[in-house]
Amino acid sequence: MAVIQGLGAWNEYLMALVLFEDNSLMPIQRGLTAFTSAETPQQQILLAATTISIVPVVIRAAWQAQA
């Protein structure tokens, strides 16, 4: 249950989009939208960036399961 709640906070896209103007404060999902484009789909880069963004969540879940 904690992992699901953590993912909800991790992916808080809309609230950050409304509240923050500085790109350094945006969540990771906002950065991933930079890889989507109608003219040049960069799916391989988007998938790689998504995989990298999942790593901290997986590490934390493994650490929680150990304890």
Side-chain angles (χ1 to χ4, degrees):
M1 186 66 167
V3 172
I4 294 171
Q5 288 179 345
L7 284 173
W10 185 266
N11 295 328
E12 190 62 49
Y13 177 77
L14 186 59
M15 188 161 79
L17 187 62
V18 171
L19 295 178
F20 301 130
E21 293 180 11
D22 188 12
N23 283 337
S24 66
L25 299 174
M26 293 290 179
I28 193 95
Q29 297 300 325
R30 178 75 163 94
L32 290 175
T33 59
F35 295 113
T36 59
S37 171
E39 297 100 25
T40 57
Q42 300 173 342
Q43 292 179 347
Q44 65 275 19
I45 296 174
L46 178 62
L47 290 173
T50 303
T51 303
I52 291 170
S53 71
I54 293 171
V55 170
V57 176
V58 171
I59 291 172
R60 172 112 188 205
W63 179 69
Q64 290 283 333
Q66 233 179 18

